[in-house]
Amino acid sequence: MRMPDNATWTASPDGDPERACPIAPVVDIVFSRWTTPILWTLNTHGRQRFVELERRIARITPKVLTQRLRQLERDGLVVRTYHAEVPPRVEYEISELGRSLAPLFAHLTEWATDNLPKVDRARHAYDSAGDPAGSLPSAKR
Amino acid sequence: MRMPDNATWTASPDGDPERACPIAPVVDIVFSRWTTPILWTLNTHGRQRFVELERRIARITPKVLTQRLRQLERDGLVVRTYHAEVPPRVEYEISELGRSLAPLFAHLTEWATDNLPKVDRARHAYDSAGDPAGSLPSAKR
DNA sequence: CGGTATCCTGTCGGATACTG
DNA sequence: CAGTATCCGACAGGATACCG
């Protein structure tokens, strides 16, 4: 049996399935569908209205945007401000807690820059490996 | 228009919807359903066989486990080794590329430790705020 | 404007059965 | 053991219409 040498991930003695992966809850909260683009947009463009978000994220439907915003608000990552005017105005901004994700996202961006090309190459290698005449990668790039 | 003061997230001039969130692809690759537990398990327990993974992750079905493992293999995050014996033996281990995620996961763990309680509190606050007599949180904790 | 309500479809993942 | 194949139900998310 082989144990990884790096101690960056610490093993929790696995009794439960969930406990086997301590970061599962965070992933649920932060990396659910649409939440990342929403948080990103709110952080980069600051406080903005519903329609602005809708337009910037694009392809998201108002229904889903509402759902995700409510969820993020409930989780304390986003602050919703309702202005009782006519027409009504609602503004969303990232909370302090939400902002605390910034370094994490930066790290993620860094990893993407460094390694996404590798992922791409791995994919092409994998795909061409299955091909009949794929043994000779003379064609393609 | 308000620009956030921290430069940790750098804005890409938003033309495209996808470009609006540069980390979306990474999220797809690393934080898809089940991938995080799988990577975590592979990293903490080292190289292991299909059944071991199946047992450790628990509640995952063989079908889905296979799907995700194939995907991770294709993305170059996991290495699959097939031993042509009887009975057949297949071992999975995390790749170098996969291991490069370790610091990221560590950060995630750290964030979880520091902030998950806050998320929990935010949720309870949000939930009780909607309640009729929720103004007096005398009951409950 | 900022949603909610309703309907409807596509996809993910579970259950089960079977193979090399 | 390590999967694949097939069926099937749940539910996320889209389209549309409407409201305060």
Side-chain angles (χ1 to χ4, degrees):
Chain A
M1 176 165 291
R2 180 186 160 282
M3 283 298 287
D5 45 0
N6 79 39
T8 333
W9 294 2
T10 309
S12 61
D14 59 310
D16 290 79
E18 302 317 276
R19 309 291 187 256
C21 185
I23 61 174
V26 205
V27 173
D28 266 9
I29 294 169
V30 180
F31 299 109
S32 297
R33 189 155 169 82
W34 292 116
T35 57
T36 319
I38 291 174
L39 287 174
W40 185 280
T41 304
L42 280 176
N43 193 76
T44 43
H45 298 279
R47 175 171 51 239
Q48 50 200 299
R49 311 174 61 163
F50 189 85
V51 271
E52 297 183 88
L53 281 170
E54 197 177 349
R55 269 193 280 268
R56 275 203 243 265
I57 295 176
R59 302 210 317 257
I60 197 174
T61 60
K63 174 184 146 187
V64 175
L65 180 56
T66 305
Q67 287 174 347
R68 293 286 91 94
L69 281 171
R70 288 284 181 280
Q71 177 190 316
L72 290 169
E73 189 196 358
R74 190 176 105 102
D75 291 345
L77 299 175
V78 158
V79 178
R80 176 180 184 268
T81 319
Y82 179 83
H83 304 268
E85 314 168 347
V86 275
R89 185 163 52 98
V90 177
E91 291 187 318
Y92 293 90
E93 63 181 324
I94 200 162
S95 73
E96 191 57 36
L97 186 56
R99 234 185 295 278
S100 74
L101 288 166
L104 204 64
F105 277 51
H107 207 146
L108 218 45
T109 309
E110 196 186 340
W111 191 92
T113 312
D114 295 348
N115 300 302
L116 271 192
K118 299 184 184 176
V119 172
D120 251 22
R121 262 179 267 123
R123 285 182 178 176
H124 285 100
Y126 184 94
D127 291 346
S128 60
D131 296 342
S135 323
L136 304 186
S138 46
K140 227 179 196 181
R141 107 142 285 153
Chain B
M1 177 164 293
R2 178 187 163 279
M3 282 299 287
D5 45 0
N6 80 39
T8 333
W9 295 1
T10 308
S12 60
D14 59 311
D16 289 78
E18 302 317 275
R19 308 292 186 257
C21 185
I23 61 175
V26 203
V27 173
D28 266 8
I29 294 169
V30 180
F31 299 108
S32 297
R33 190 158 168 81
W34 294 115
T35 56
T36 319
I38 292 176
L39 287 175
W40 185 279
T41 303
L42 281 176
N43 193 77
T44 43
H45 298 278
R47 175 171 50 236
Q48 51 199 301
R49 309 175 61 163
F50 189 85
V51 272
E52 298 184 87
L53 281 171
E54 197 176 351
R55 270 193 279 269
R56 274 202 243 265
I57 296 177
R59 301 211 317 256
I60 196 174
T61 60
K63 172 185 146 187
V64 175
L65 180 55
T66 305
Q67 288 175 348
R68 294 285 92 96
L69 281 172
R70 289 282 182 280
Q71 177 189 318
L72 289 169
E73 190 196 357
R74 190 176 105 102
D75 291 345
L77 298 175
V78 158
V79 178
R80 177 181 184 267
T81 319
Y82 180 82
H83 304 268
E85 313 168 347
V86 273
R89 185 163 51 97
V90 177
E91 291 187 318
Y92 293 91
E93 64 181 323
I94 198 160
S95 73
E96 192 56 37
L97 187 55
R99 234 184 298 277
S100 73
L101 287 166
L104 205 61
F105 278 50
H107 269 205
L108 219 43
T109 309
E110 195 186 340
W111 191 90
T113 312
D114 295 348
N115 300 302
L116 270 193
K118 299 185 184 177
V119 172
D120 252 21
R121 261 179 268 123
R123 284 181 179 177
H124 285 100
Y126 184 95
D127 291 346
S128 60
D131 296 341
S135 323
L136 304 185
S138 46
K140 226 177 195 180
R141 104 145 290 151

